[in-house]
């Protein structure tokens, strides 16, 4: 399977699990052996790329602000791009600006995805069964991209990907090693720090910076 095949498969699952008036959102960033893969839950229509009229890339967090503040504070986004994001309204994003943002993501050697790619009209909670339906494709995605480390946001995503009940508050800084297609990968659960989880952003930043120091900087 190729990345292109994955995108088609995710589009098909949108018809089953997502809003029929929205497109699925797949992934973006460094597609070949990134330092870090960041895994979120699922997209919503706040991502303007989910609109069927959108002619650009279908990548996470296009037209939003808060997540880019997180990446900027982690040292993973250039100040000039971050300033543009902060000053633009969501509808003002263009396909060309979205490509510019994701070139900066690629420059900093990371990859952004969601466990489930089914776009919803809002940030409602999804049952575990929906995320489970994406799990095999997600593992294929990880195998194709081959990140050095995978950061999982929140209890639900972490529990489903790792196959055991995870409480981030009890596993901060703990590495979970899992094998996918005969290769081992290193997973770290961290607090979900967007939307209702924003009050955990300081803990998330602290943990991610520690992971970067341990897994990336110390090995360069």
């Amino acid at each position: 399977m190729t990345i292109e095949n994955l995108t088609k498969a995710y589009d098909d699952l949108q018809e089953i699990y997502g809003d029929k008036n929205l497109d699925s959102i797949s992934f973006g960033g460094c597609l070949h052996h990134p330092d870090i893969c960041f895994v979120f839950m699922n997209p919503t229509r706040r991502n303007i790329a989910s609109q069927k009229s959108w002619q650009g890339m279908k990548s996470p967090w296009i037209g939003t602000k808060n997540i880019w503040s997180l990446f900027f504070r982690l040292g993973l986004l250039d100040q000039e791009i971050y300033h543009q994001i902060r000053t633009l309204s969501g509808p003002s994003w263009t396909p060309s600006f979205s490509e510019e943002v994701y070139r900066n993501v690629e420059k900093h050697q990371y990859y952004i995805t969601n466990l489930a790619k089914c776009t919803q009209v809002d940030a409602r909670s999804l049952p575990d069964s929906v995320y489970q339906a994406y799990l095999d494709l997600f593992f294929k995605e990880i195998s194709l991209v081959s990140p050095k480390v995978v950061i999982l946001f929140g209890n639900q995503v972490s529990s489903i990907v790792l196959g055991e009940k995870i409480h981030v508050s009890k596993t901060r800084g703990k590495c979970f090693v899992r094998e996918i297609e005969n290769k081992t990968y290193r997973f770290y659960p961290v607090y979900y720090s967007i939307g209702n989880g924003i009050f955990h952003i300081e803990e998330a930043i602290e943990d991610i910076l520690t992971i970067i120091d341990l897994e990336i900087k110390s090995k360069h």
Side-chain angles (χ1 to χ4, degrees):
M1 180 175 281
T2 65
I3 286 290
E4 291 75 19
N5 296 144
L6 273 179
T7 301
K8 176 61 169 62
Y10 289 141
D11 288 344
D12 291 342
L13 287 176
Q14 175 73 18
E15 295 299 312
I16 301 172
Y17 299 108
D19 187 277
K20 303 298 187 295
N21 298 311
L22 300 169
D23 283 347
S24 64
I25 297 296
S26 51
F27 38 72
C30 180
L31 301 179
H32 304 289
H33 200 46
D35 287 339
I36 309 169
C37 169
F38 291 100
V39 185
F40 297 91
M41 299 176 73
N42 62 278
T44 74
R45 68 177 175 186
R46 287 192 61 214
N47 185 326
I48 62 172
S50 66
Q51 303 302 315
K52 292 189 175 294
S53 59
W54 178 261
Q55 296 300 309
M57 63 197 311
K58 301 282 186 176
S59 296
W61 304 109
I62 291 176
T64 68
K65 293 183 185 295
N66 290 342
I67 190 61
W68 302 107
S69 295
L70 174 68
F71 291 137
F72 177 70
R73 291 186 61 188
L74 292 170
L76 298 176
L77 196 70
D78 288 350
Q79 186 168 0
E80 181 180 352
I81 287 287
Y82 178 62
H83 177 71
Q84 292 181 69
I85 290 172
R86 296 304 300 174
T87 54
L88 280 177
S89 65
S92 297
W93 282 54
T94 62
S96 61
F97 179 65
S98 303
E99 291 174 3
E100 185 178 357
V101 170
Y102 268 92
R103 281 195 297 271
N104 201 258
V105 171
E106 185 174 5
K107 169 188 171 182
H108 287 278
Q109 290 290 302
Y110 62 105
Y111 174 86
I112 307 172
T113 191
N114 292 287
L115 175 53
K117 277 68 174 177
C118 48
T119 309
Q120 308 294 330
V121 295
D122 54 29
R124 70 188 65 185
S125 297
L126 296 180
D128 287 358
S129 59
V130 173
Y131 293 106
Q132 291 283 359
Y134 282 83
L135 194 55
D136 287 345
L137 286 173
F138 171 76
F139 286 147
K140 176 60 69 174
E141 183 181 341
I142 294 297
S143 178
L144 287 170
V145 175
S146 190
K148 296 175 184 175
V149 63
V150 182
I151 292 181
L152 305 169
F153 283 94
N155 294 334
Q156 188 176 24
V157 165
S158 299
S159 296
I160 290 168
V161 170
L162 296 174
E164 61 181 273
K165 192 64 175 177
I166 298 294
H167 295 284
V168 172
S169 61
K170 299 178 181 178
T171 60
R172 292 181 64 186
K174 181 177 179 180
C175 178
F176 293 79
V177 178
R178 294 291 185 271
E179 185 174 292
I180 302 172
E181 296 194 3
N182 300 314
K183 183 177 178 180
T184 58
Y185 293 90
R186 299 173 68 78
F187 294 86
Y188 287 89
V190 302
Y191 281 110
Y192 194 81
S193 51
I194 305 300
N196 292 335
I198 194 69
F199 56 89
H200 280 307
I201 191 169
E202 297 303 329
E203 293 102 322
I205 289 171
E206 179 184 348
D207 290 350
I208 295 168
L209 287 175
T210 298
I211 294 164
I212 290 173
D213 284 342
L214 178 66
E215 296 284 358
I216 308 302
K217 290 183 177 179
S218 68
K219 297 178 180 178
H220 279 176

